Amino acid sequence: MYRTHTNGELRSTDINKEVTLAGWVQKTRDKGFMTWVDLRDRYGVTQLIFDEDRSPEAVMKTASSLGREFVIQVTGTVIERESKNPNMPTGDIEILVSEIIVLNTSLTPPFTIETETDGGEDIRMKYRYIDIRRKPVRDNLVFRHKVTMAVRNYLSSKDFVEIETPYLIKSTPEGARDFVVPSRMNEGQFYALPQSPQTFKQLLMIGGMDKYFQIVKCFRDEDLRADRQPEFTQIDCEMAFVEQEDILNTFEGLTRHLLKEINGVEVGAFPRMTFDEAMKRYGNDKPDIRFGMEFGELNEVAQHKDFNVFNSAELVVGIAVPGGNSYSRKEIDKLIDWVKRPQVGAKGMVYVRCNEDGSYKSSVDKFYDQEDLAKWAESTDAKSGDLICVLSGETNKTRAQLSALRMELAERMGLRKANVFAPLWVIDFPLLEWDEETERFHAMHHPFTSPKPGQMELLKTEPGNVKANAYDLVMNGNEIGGGSIRIHDRAIQSKMFDYLGFTPEEAKAQFGFLMEAFEYGAPPHGGIAFGLDRLVAILGGQETIRDFIAFPKNNSGRDVMIDAPAPIDQEQLKELNLKLDL
């Protein structure tokens, strides 16, 4: 056998045992007559000692030739370490080596395999297989495994069945762009990689598998950000014979279980907030409720004077920054510059200092008196010592801009604490959203989402006001899951396709199989999908999902390690009946 123990296992209770270890050489310290080697594997580090008085000459010679990341096997005796290291689990012992075998040599790595490495992100992604040896990356992957197993165990205990669905499916134009796969045996035809197993899990409900889940790869050909990858993993779930309340209770239970099992945190019942309320109070539909700074709408108290910037605005809205009156004029000017950045897009910012003596000093004192500013403070719940930041303009854009400012301020003030978890449900989303480019309504979630009970008829007269029987699970300012009660009636689904602008021919071509299935006893059903990558990152105290993926793509969607995507040769193209004009 290559090893009797791992490198994180041995303790002082093992002294005098003969053991065999294997792993990678992390570092060596050669004193001539004595050499120390730190031997590393996935489980930890053990110090080896080679002593010319106690180790064979051939062993000493081999030890002196070891380089970083050599793979070795050693046999020796566990002895008490003279200079103990309380920071290492194995810091009380070391191995007096009597035999050594070099299993493989190594080139000098392009960066140090330490917790704090000298390698930049690009070089570490190119050599990801080496980066995985570093403890932070390794721990993240083990953490992901623990979360995944906790999910599987919980759902299995609730009678969910894990069922695999196909990866080669049919392309649909709704949603993000598909990755397409040419079919060699069907000339000129293509599969698509699934953006979600949505229709298959609905078919499983029709098939009588009333509790389904799958931890599944999904694919979207879209622009990337720190929290997006072209391939990502979902915890995909569906239930039959349920209403919205059943879904919320089941998956609130899952989330509470994960928080307790993985983080040791117990939380009470999750608050619920409508989409409209979330937008009004926080400016977005995934609010971070770990801190305050809720929006105060100021139209009634700010649009009665001669300040045309506010008078011409659709919305005037502000937040109170705790302790913000301590900011210097230079710091406030930097905040104004920050909101005017193209990424945020505000034209400027009005501010009010809330002084300790109860008076107010604003950047618009020319137009507003103390009584006016006191009403602003009341509307934003500002206290003495705070700073009120006010933006104005078109409603949706202004809310988004102030939301961005709120999150930036919270980050600067240390209010977004990674070890604090604040989940909530956002419900009652609009069923449809207007697309300016196509000048028609699109499904806000997907075309299989059911309207709230009793609102189907509103689609004819007030389509923009119809609420969806949909829900998102939000935690710490991130959407970690979303779902809906589905349409399960063919006639209603046909109407929905009509409202979304599908011709009967298009609906049949793309979803005819589902429509036909609805005619064979489809039960009421609904579900949810969690983004596993994002969920794991948040539970791990981070928000960048790449750190929790073994082999991630970069911001251009490339795998720089294997250099993909890459051209394919002309013979392959010919076999697939494809031509590339380069």
Side-chain angles (χ1 to χ4, degrees):
M1 68 177 71
Y2 280 108
R3 58 188 180 186
T4 58
H5 298 77
T6 67
N7 288 313
E9 186 177 352
L10 297 169
R11 301 291 187 270
S12 56
T13 52
D14 297 300
I15 287 174
N16 295 326
K17 282 184 183 177
E18 183 173 88
V19 298
T20 299
L21 304 179
W24 288 264
V25 173
Q26 180 148 313
K27 65 174 67 169
T28 62
R29 299 177 295 284
D30 191 345
K31 298 294 185 183
F33 62 92
M34 197 173 287
T35 300
W36 289 272
V37 173
D38 286 347
L39 187 66
R40 181 192 69 245
D41 63 11
R42 176 187 135 192
Y43 305 93
V45 175
T46 297
Q47 180 170 285
L48 313 178
I49 182 170
F50 300 82
D51 182 352
E52 66 179 16
D53 292 334
R54 295 178 287 176
S55 299
E57 183 178 346
V59 169
M60 291 297 296
K61 184 177 180 181
T62 302
S64 67
S65 68
L66 296 176
R68 283 167 50 203
E69 301 307 306
F70 276 36
V71 187
I72 64 172
Q73 178 191 41
V74 297
T75 298
T77 305
V78 182
I79 62 175
E80 186 174 4
R81 188 165 162 171
E82 286 189 15
S83 300
K84 294 181 173 60
N85 184 346
N87 298 318
M88 285 176 63
T90 59
D92 289 343
I93 58 95
E94 58 190 358
I95 310 302
L96 177 60
V97 179
S98 56
E99 297 177 34
I100 181 170
I101 299 173
V102 176
L103 300 173
N104 216 331
T105 59
S106 172
L107 298 173
T108 301
F111 51 87
T112 55
I113 316 301
E114 303 279 356
T115 297
E116 298 296 330
T117 183
D118 57 357
E121 185 174 2
D122 290 344
I123 193 73
R124 287 189 290 108
M125 286 189 72
K126 181 175 174 63
Y127 296 95
R128 183 66 166 177
Y129 49 87
I130 301 176
D131 197 31
I132 289 172
R133 296 178 194 169
R134 293 195 310 116
K135 186 176 187 303
V137 182
R138 184 175 69 242
D139 287 352
N140 283 349
L141 297 180
V142 172
F143 183 81
R144 182 189 177 106
H145 162 73
K146 288 179 178 177
V147 173
T148 303
M149 289 306 297
V151 169
R152 279 199 164 95
N153 292 338
Y154 180 87
L155 291 176
S156 297
S157 75
K158 301 297 181 184
D159 294 328
F160 281 79
V161 180
E162 186 168 13
I163 303 174
E164 294 179 344
T165 54
Y167 279 133
L168 294 175
I169 65 168
K170 189 175 186 177
S171 182
T172 60
E174 287 290 308
R177 297 182 186 90
D178 288 327
F179 283 101
V180 294
V181 181
S183 171
R184 178 182 59 82
M185 294 182 291
N186 299 276
E187 184 176 345
Q189 296 185 323
F190 297 81
Y191 297 105
L193 300 179
Q195 298 182 32
S196 148
Q198 180 61 45
T199 53
F200 289 100
K201 65 181 179 179
Q202 290 189 248
L203 292 170
L204 285 169
M205 296 304 101
I206 297 170
M209 302 301 296
D210 66 340
K211 289 185 176 181
Y212 142 93
F213 85 99
Q214 183 180 190
I215 297 177
V216 58
K217 279 280 188 185
C218 300
F219 307 85
R220 288 180 188 167
D221 188 5
E222 60 185 352
D223 296 335
L224 305 180
R225 298 197 300 259
D227 62 345
R228 283 189 182 172
Q229 287 277 299
E231 53 180 310
F232 57 96
T233 306
Q234 280 187 184
I235 308 167
D236 198 60
C237 308
E238 197 81 2
M239 301 171 72
F241 302 109
V242 290
E243 297 176 334
Q244 177 176 293
E245 196 66 23
D246 301 305
I247 303 282
L248 300 192
N249 289 336
T250 298
F251 293 99
E252 182 169 319
L254 170 62
T255 309
R256 291 166 74 176
H257 172 76
L258 292 175
L259 286 168
K260 185 175 181 180
E261 186 81 6
I262 303 298
N263 299 90
V265 172
E266 294 202 39
V267 294
F270 295 3
R272 298 183 186 184
M273 188 180 301
T274 66
F275 171 86
D276 291 341
E277 183 185 359
M279 297 303 293
K280 186 171 183 177
R281 291 170 59 185
Y282 298 99
N284 69 65
D285 59 2
K286 46 182 186 293
D288 191 335
I289 59 171
R290 286 175 293 180
F291 56 93
M293 288 194 281
E294 292 190 22
F295 288 14
E297 296 193 355
L298 305 175
N299 290 44
E300 291 186 8
V301 294
Q303 289 186 321
H304 63 292
K305 293 295 179 74
D306 294 330
F307 188 49
N308 195 50
V309 172
F310 284 176
N311 291 344
S312 61
E314 188 177 356
L315 176 69
V316 183
V317 62
I319 55 172
V321 183
N325 193 25
S326 63
Y327 293 179
S328 67
R329 176 57 188 270
K330 186 176 181 181
E331 288 174 311
I332 294 174
D333 286 343
K334 284 184 178 179
L335 275 184
I336 295 172
D337 290 339
W338 190 89
V339 299
K340 291 167 73 173
R341 294 158 64 237
Q343 300 94 317
V344 180
K347 293 180 180 178
M349 184 183 85
V350 169
Y351 66 89
V352 182
R353 292 183 179 276
C354 302
N355 299 319
E356 297 294 344
D357 62 5
S359 65
Y360 302 95
K361 178 66 179 173
S362 82
S363 56
V364 286
D365 278 347
K366 177 180 177 182
F367 301 98
Y368 297 95
D369 58 28
Q370 292 291 299
E371 185 179 346
D372 294 323
L373 300 179
K375 291 178 181 177
W376 294 18
E378 182 180 356
S379 297
T380 57
D381 198 27
K383 306 291 189 294
S384 296
D386 292 352
L387 180 76
I388 304 172
C389 299
V390 182
L391 300 181
S392 63
E394 189 270 320
T395 297
N396 291 338
K397 289 181 180 178
T398 303
R399 282 175 172 167
Q401 291 159 1
L402 191 60
S403 176
L405 176 61
R406 176 180 179 267
M407 296 294 278
E408 175 67 16
L409 286 166
E411 194 70 46
R412 295 183 186 188
M413 297 163 69
L415 300 177
R416 304 192 67 203
K417 300 181 187 300
N419 60 348
V420 176
F421 300 94
L424 77 150
W425 290 106
V426 177
I427 59 176
D428 294 355
F429 283 82
L431 181 68
L432 308 173
E433 58 184 343
W434 183 256
D435 187 290
E436 296 289 348
E437 288 186 20
T438 60
E439 294 188 335
R440 68 182 181 93
F441 282 106
H442 289 262
M444 191 166 193
H445 286 79
H446 53 62
F448 316 109
T449 298
S450 174
K452 294 287 283 188
Q455 296 206 358
M456 191 72 191
E457 291 305 312
L458 277 179
L459 281 169
K460 297 177 183 176
T461 55
E462 302 176 62
N465 292 330
V466 178
K467 300 300 183 187
N469 211 342
Y471 33 82
D472 278 359
L473 183 54
V474 174
M475 184 141 62
N476 297 1
N478 293 269
E479 177 201 332
I480 61 169
S484 66
I485 299 298
R486 323 302 187 188
I487 296 169
H488 66 280
D489 178 271
R490 175 169 184 150
I492 294 174
Q493 187 66 72
S494 293
K495 282 184 183 179
M496 181 60 69
F497 286 143
D498 289 343
Y499 291 128
L500 293 172
F502 286 83
T503 66
E505 293 75 23
E506 287 172 337
K508 183 176 181 180
Q510 292 176 36
F511 304 112
F513 64 94
L514 183 64
M515 300 288 279
E516 183 178 358
F518 282 165
E519 296 194 278
Y520 289 91
H525 59 282
I528 193 169
F530 288 76
L532 178 65
D533 309 300
R534 191 175 300 169
L535 174 63
V536 170
I538 292 170
L539 293 176
Q542 301 178 45
E543 291 189 8
T544 303
I545 65 173
R546 258 198 321 238
D547 296 338
F548 293 85
I549 297 173
F551 299 103
K553 307 289 190 290
N554 68 10
N555 285 341
S556 300
R558 293 196 64 81
D559 187 324
V560 295
M561 182 182 67
I562 63 173
D563 194 23
I568 60 176
D569 64 39
Q570 290 298 319
E571 280 303 310
Q572 284 179 287
L573 289 172
K574 184 178 178 182
E575 195 173 41
L576 293 168
N577 302 297
L578 296 176
K579 293 180 181 179
L580 284 184
D581 295 323
L582 301 177

